[in-house]
Every structure is written in C-alpha cells, then in structure tokens.
Amino acid sequence: MLLRGAPARGSARRAAELTRERRFGLDGAVVPGLLLLVARDLARYDPTRILAWRLSHDERLQAATAWLGPILPAPSDALDRDPIALALAALGVLLALAYATLAAAGAGARARGAVIALAALALVVAPSAGFVAMGVATERPYGQDGGVVQLPLATSRILAGESPYGADYSGTMLARQARVSSFWDELGGNPILRHHAYLPGTHLVMLPFQLASRAAFGFFDPRTVTLLFYALVVALAARIPKGDEARLTAAAAAALNPLVYWHQIFGANDLVFVAMLLAAVLAARASRLALAGALVGLACATKQLAWPFAPFLLLALSGARSFAELLTPLPWRRLLAPLAAAGAVFVLVVVPVASLDWRAFWGDIVVYNVGLPGGDNYPIGGTPGIGAANLLIYFGRVAHLREYFPFSIFYLLLVPLGLLLVRAQLKDGHAEWALATGSTALVASIFFSRVAHPNYLIPAAVCLPLAVLARRRGADIALAPLLLLALAVEVAENAVFAAAWDQALAAGFPERASGLAATLVPRAHAGLTKDPLGLLVSATAAGLGLAYLVLATAGASRRIRFVVPALAVLLLVVGPTLLLSRLGASTGVVRAQDPAVVQADADASRLVEGRSLYTQPTDTLPRGRQAFSESFRLDPPAEILPTRPLLPPGPALLAAVARPLGVRDLRGVSLVALGALAAFLALRFDGRERRIGLAVALLMAPLAIGTVLGAPGALSLAALVGAWVSRERGAPGIAGVLAGVAIALDHRALLAAPFLAAPRGPRKDLLRAAGAAAVSYGLLVLPIALLDVPAFVGRASARALAGPGLGLVNLLAWRGAEDLAAALAPMLTLAALGALGWLFLRPWSRLASAGIASLVGIVLAPSLSADAVAAPILLLGLASLVPGGVDGRDVTDNGP
C-alpha cells in the first residue's frame, strides 16, 4: 500500500488490522467441545468394552478378523483398560485439536466440514460397523434389544401376515439375549419377549432394506439403515440454520452429540423420525405445506416420540401468531391440506399392521408403553432412567418395580405447560422454533412418565440446538438444559454413586442420620435399586434441565433463569461433594475417581507435620477406592494408594491450609475454586454471554461430576481464567500472580498461561506479569522444595509413569507400547513448548490459542485423567464469546 502511495492513515489502519486477534467462531468452540466430551465418555466409561473383549476372547471373531493382522489391538496386561475405547478417545482429542486449529486459523468451511465427517466416521460409523460385524461373525447380534434384535423378527412376522404385537418371542434370538441379563433375572424376565413397542412406520422403513440385505448378504442388522438416516440427519441439520459457522455447528450437534453417539452405535433408531421432522421443517420453509404435513404424519407413524413435535409444527404451518388469530378461519384453511396429508399418511401406514390384531396393538402401543393398570408393566424408572419415577423409588413409594403407579396425575402439569409452549410457538411463528417447543414438550412428557430411558432424549439433543441456531436465540436455551440432562444420563447409566452408597450402608450412616438428613435418607430397599443416590441425583439433574428449558422457551427473564443453575450447583455438585467428603472422613476410605484427592490428603498430612513430601516414603496403606470400576477385566473398584507425592505440590499446600477451616479433603478446595471461577466469569461477561459462560463452567460433567469425584481441574482453571480477566481489566501484576498460582497447581497450566496472562501494551507490563508469575510460583513451591532439595529435584526429574490418557499414550497402548510415552516424555515436553512458541506468534484469539495449547498438552501427556478436557472446552468456549478484531470490537494485540 505504501509503494502505491496510500495515505499514512490507511497504512496505519492496515497495520492495526494485521495485529488484531482473529475472531474465533462458534463452531470452533462447539465442535471440539463435543469431540472432547465424547472422548471423555469413551475413556472414562468404556461403552465399547464388549467389542474389544469379544475380539480378544471369542475364537469365532478372532478367526473372522485374522486377516486384519497387525491392525488389530494387541494390548499389554499392564494396562487394564479397553484398547478400542482408549484409541477412539485419542482420535476424538486429536480431531478436536485439528478442528480448533483450523477454526483459529480461519480455514474454509470445507476443511472444517471434512474434520466433522472424519470424526463421524471414526467415532460413530466405524464402531457401529464393528458391532454389526461382531454379530455376523458370532451369529448373535449385539445391540439394543428392541431396535436391533426384535425389530427384524417383528418385520418377518408382518411379512408372514401375523401381528408383531402381543406375540411370543421366547423361542427366538431375542430370548437368548434376554437370558444373559442379570437385571432381568431379578425381575422375572424381560417383558419384551411378550410385547413390541414400535409403530408400523419403523417397519415400513426397515422392510425394503431387510429384504435386500438378506437376499444379498444373508443377514440384516437395522444399524445399516439407521446409519443412513444418521447421515441424512447430519445433512439436513446443516441446512436448517444459515451461515457457515452455524451450519458446521448444526452438523456437529447431530453427528457428534454425546447424548446421541453411543445410542446410535448401540442400535437406537430415533434418528429415523428426526430426519422426517427436519425434512418437514425444510418443506415448511419452502412453503410446501402438504409435503410438510405428510412428513409429520410419517414421523408420528414411526415413533411415539415424534408426537410432542407434531402440534407445534402444525401451528407453524397455520401461520397464526396469537391465540386470537388462531381462532379465526384463515389459519385453519391453511392447515386443511397439511392436516389431511398428515392424517392420511398416518392411517395408511398404521392401520394395515394394526388391523392384524387390534387388541394386541392397543395392548402393546398404549397399555404396555404408558403403563396402564392391569397391564404387563415395564419396570418403573427404566433400566435405569432419569425421570420423576426415580424419586418414587428413592423415597420407597413403590414396593416393587413392576407395581402400577398412576403417572396420569402428572399429566395435569402438562396442560398449562402445553399452553405456555403454544403461546411461545405462536409468538415466534417459525417452523424451526417448533423444534425447540417440541423438544420441551418431549422432555416434559418423558420426565413424568413411567420409563425415561436416556435414548429418548436423542430427538431433543439434536433438535434443540438446531432451533436455537436457526432462530439465533441465546445458546444457553440449549446449552444449560442439555448439560444438565447429560449429567443425569451419566450418573444414571454408570452407577456413579453405587459404591459410595454401599460404603455408607456398611458404615451405618442411614441408621445414624438425624434431622433433615434422616428425612432425605433413601428408603428404597435393595430389590428396587443398588444406586439410590444415583437415582436422586439423576432425577434432580433432569428435572432442573427441564425447568430451565421451560423457562427459556417460555421467555422468562434471565434473573428467573439464573435460579436453576444456582440450584443445580448446590444440589448436584456441592451436596454430593460434601457427602462423599464426609463419608471418607468418617470411614477412613476416600471414595473418589481421581487419585489426586487421596494423594493430596496424604501430602497435606506431611506438610502439617513439617516433613518433606519427597524424602520419606508415603504411607502405602489403602487410603481410598475408586467410585466405580474402570477395569477392562471388570475387577472391583481399585484401591487408590498415595505412593507418588504431587508435583507441583500446590494442591497439597491448599489442602493443608484448608484443614484448620474444617475442609475435609481437596474437594472442598475445588468447590471454592468453582465459586471463584464463576465470580471471574460474572465479572467479565454480561447478559447472554454470562449465562453461557456460567453454564459451561459449572454444569459440564468434567467439572461438575469431576469435582464430586476428586478431579482437581477447577483449581488451576479458576486461576487461569482469573489471570485472563485481570489482564483484560488492565491489571498485569494480578494476572501474573494468578498465572503463577495456576502453574503451581498444575504444571500443564504453563502451556496456556502465557496466552492468558501476557498483557497488551508496553514491554514493562509484560515483565511485570512475568515477574509476578515467577514470584507467586516460587512462594507456593519453594518452601516445600527447600524442605529437602535433593529429594525434590529427584522427584521432578523422575521418569513419568505411563497410564491411560487421552492422546498419544492411548494409541501406543493399542499395541502394548504405552511405556514408550513415558520414555519420550522429555522430548514430548519440548515439543509442547515448541508448539506454545509457534502459537504465540499466530494472530489468533488468545483464549483460542490457550485452549489449543492445553489440547497439545493433553495429546502428549503420558498419563491423564479424562476430566482434563474441562480446560480446553472452557477456554475455547470463552474464546467464542469474546468479539474478535475482525469487526473492530475488543481489538487486542497478540504478543508483547
């Protein structure tokens, strides 16, 4: 520009633009966040375990896969973990790193879309194909008993002219599957052997594929169909909102949703009717009202979970914008064609199959599904579920799980809710918003039903984000409810508190309870549940998620909405944390999943006594046990031995300082850190951004459940965010102090701290921040190191221990070479520091660079807790909330 004679003012403006931070888009936060949550679920709960186990122990499967040779996993016996789950988790983290880097660099939508497609193939399609192949090789399908095993049997009965409803399936493969379940043995057998819950639309969809597959290959697995609809839903979801960022986010919400991915692999077919609903929305947008109505009718004929969406989609087709307008003739004239199309399609699909045996159809679709009196009732609560039925079990309001309970009394609550949602739909008027109002109605009907299985949330998990993206509403409308529902599902499905309850029973806690505690003690006997605390927590989380969703879709003020996450933190994080801390203090056995809480307790005892952490051997007696087993061999929850003092010792120092204040273990300090994190975010953001930031920080599972089970990630993360907020507010000294504290609590914070604490402005501010960081780190670490310098140096230079992680170590464990990650630790550390330097030279968002740097540390760590994903998820999420320099707002430099 200067060579061409451009004015100096223009040159200065161009130079300033070149130093601005590039704006970090919404998809740059959401897509890596989804991938990291999926990776955490794989690494922590191992849903794919049966595939790896059969691959290692079933001779038929081994013979069928022998041609794969070195591609097959060959894990060592040293690491008692599923190699497939670990490898998939590592792939998820690597893809999250790739996407975040592309988003920060401003790569094109095609490149970012390719990462989403690759992730869907690796994390959903490949495991699904693996389970299908396992079923074919072993001649025994593995998957959802109704969606994978029974559905082909039911379709075969229809082809033979017999009703699939009220039939006897006891002489089929379904019976073999049901007999291996200890859950059903205690309840007198699985009722699915006598009932079929699917509507004929599902049979209609599956029938041509079943005939073609059996003719061509000799077998049929419904996942071959549901994967096609999975791809269709992703494609349709990308068309709902406008703009590349929103479309990529929508595609990822459908393809990589933590509430969807495993159920899709396991054989759930809910995405079949979701595809029909999304197609109906697009048809309505194109003013093809009859087609939209026909698609709504087909969805309702396919699965009952589509019914809550139908009235709101039809309201959108009517064009009415108020109750008064709805009472006029014009909206009903508009609805004539779509209503006729919907009704005709529903009748044509349902009646031919239902008429084979009307009584059996009524018995299975209505009596059995709803749980009417006199019927063969499904176990109350599910296997288990997340709804209000959990509270009936917890408080002992039912004597056995087959007992009838009049859930119809809850339907009275759905009437005013329905009117609220109708009002909200009329006020918006768009078909896209029917995905939100319909999701709210669906979650409410599920929560207050006899059975609230987690896979019933699939439609809401996909449709709710699409509605928010399409209508450009606040992300908290989808984010807060789905995070709470994810907490409910995690606790219920994985029996997170079952071992803690057994420990409390053995210690006589329920008998000694008094006052309010005695009122809240579970009254469910052992025949009802083995995890009453989990039932209570999951139902509370789901209920709060529903409450937030209702308030948000109904347009409640932000102050009213804020009450829900505040209650959620108290009831779902603070309460369980204090309960487990008290249990450990009373019994002498800390119940946690992260060993840091046990080690910090042992280290704090030595500090209180004035002894070095690193000279004398730490007590090797059992001091803790895992909350649940992560063993590939299904061993009981492992002992946690405090045999390796923490480095850095910051968490141990905080635990020691907190002891005189009555804090029983490190989890109490983590609660304070969560409060500080919330305060920092409230200080930095306003309005919608504040609600989003607080929802992510306080309600996502790696921080919420992670804190309850002993993960100390909130400590360093709060300090890092505090450093960033201080830097933004022009306080480089405080930013430096907090950065030093973060590093003294977790050395991995060194990767993110420079981006968050390095100030904009003169070099002296940078030196002030760096000096403050060094001083605060030294004040926390040096007094402990000086107790025995040689021992401290020896601990600092000791070889890293290899173990399950989230990155390179998992890929090495595939072939039993996980020790190589520990041997390469020094080189990997240098690589991480080199990546940090390279990132610091990029004109990218500081928060995004910090998130990417923390992801680099996760990938290279030789051993790591699955809850470590909290840091990059939060940092990338905050990066998307801060306006970048592209539009001229919040322009900052990137470097000293």
Side-chain angles (χ1 to χ4, degrees), residues 406-668:
F407 281 89
S408 56
I409 62 175
F410 295 123
Y411 296 167
L412 296 176
L413 299 174
L414 300 181
V415 175
L417 172 61
L419 293 175
L420 272 177
L421 295 177
V422 167
R423 176 178 173 272
Q425 181 60 48
L426 290 172
K427 184 177 180 181
D428 183 276
H430 291 80
E432 294 89 343
W433 194 240
L435 299 176
T437 48
S439 294
T440 307
L442 173 67
V443 174
S445 61
I446 291 171
F447 183 78
F448 291 112
S449 66
R450 182 180 183 89
V451 179
H453 283 157
N455 70 285
Y456 296 169
L457 297 175
I458 288 176
V462 173
C463 293
L464 185 57
L466 299 184
V468 171
L469 289 167
R471 299 299 301 137
R472 298 179 181 271
R473 301 290 184 92
D476 64 297
I477 297 176
L479 194 59
L482 292 181
L483 286 173
L484 285 166
L485 291 171
L487 286 178
V489 170
E490 178 174 336
V491 170
E493 285 195 324
N494 300 291
V496 169
F497 296 106
W501 174 244
D502 289 341
Q503 185 174 331
L505 282 177
F509 265 34
E511 293 80 5
R512 299 201 307 268
S514 60
L516 179 61
T519 305
L520 296 177
V521 165
R523 288 172 172 77
H525 56 77
L528 291 176
T529 179
K530 297 178 181 179
D531 184 21
L533 296 179
L535 294 184
L536 177 64
V537 172
S538 61
T540 303
L544 290 171
L546 172 61
Y548 196 99
L549 186 53
V550 170
L551 292 173
T553 53
S557 69
R558 62 187 184 186
R559 289 185 178 181
I560 296 176
R561 276 188 257 175
F562 179 75
V563 173
V564 176
L567 276 176
V569 172
L570 288 174
L571 298 177
L572 306 176
V573 183
V574 177
T577 298
L578 296 179
L579 181 63
L580 291 189
S581 296
R582 182 182 176 188
L583 179 65
S586 301
T587 62
V589 178
V590 175
R591 186 64 65 173
Q593 204 63 22
D594 197 303
V597 66
V598 178
Q599 188 65 59
D601 184 42
D603 292 354
S605 297
R606 292 192 171 279
L607 288 178
V608 170
E609 296 167 3
R611 294 185 291 165
S612 169
L613 301 184
Y614 309 105
T615 300
Q616 301 170 358
T618 310
D619 186 4
T620 57
L621 294 176
R623 297 290 304 278
R625 278 196 175 273
Q626 289 182 328
F628 51 88
S629 175
E630 295 180 349
S631 168
F632 184 42
R633 297 188 293 262
L634 292 184
D635 290 339
E639 293 180 347
I640 302 176
L641 304 176
T643 56
R644 191 173 174 85
L646 295 175
L647 187 74
L653 181 61
L654 290 181
V657 171
R659 280 192 175 185
L661 303 177
V663 178
R664 293 183 173 89
D665 62 27
L666 187 64
R667 284 177 284 209

Side-chain angles (χ1 to χ4, degrees), residues 42-63:
L42 286 162
R44 174 56 55 83
Y45 299 110
D46 189 12
T48 60
R49 176 188 176 277
I50 189 64
L51 178 59
W53 186 263
R54 291 277 183 87
L55 198 59
S56 303
H57 297 83
D58 193 298
E59 294 180 357
R60 290 172 297 176
L61 192 58
Q62 289 175 340

Side-chain angles (χ1 to χ4, degrees), residues 14-27:
R14 176 61 177 161
E17 289 175 354
L18 292 175
T19 61
R20 291 175 179 175
E21 293 182 6
R22 181 177 283 115
R23 177 180 172 273
F24 193 67
L26 174 66
D27 63 302

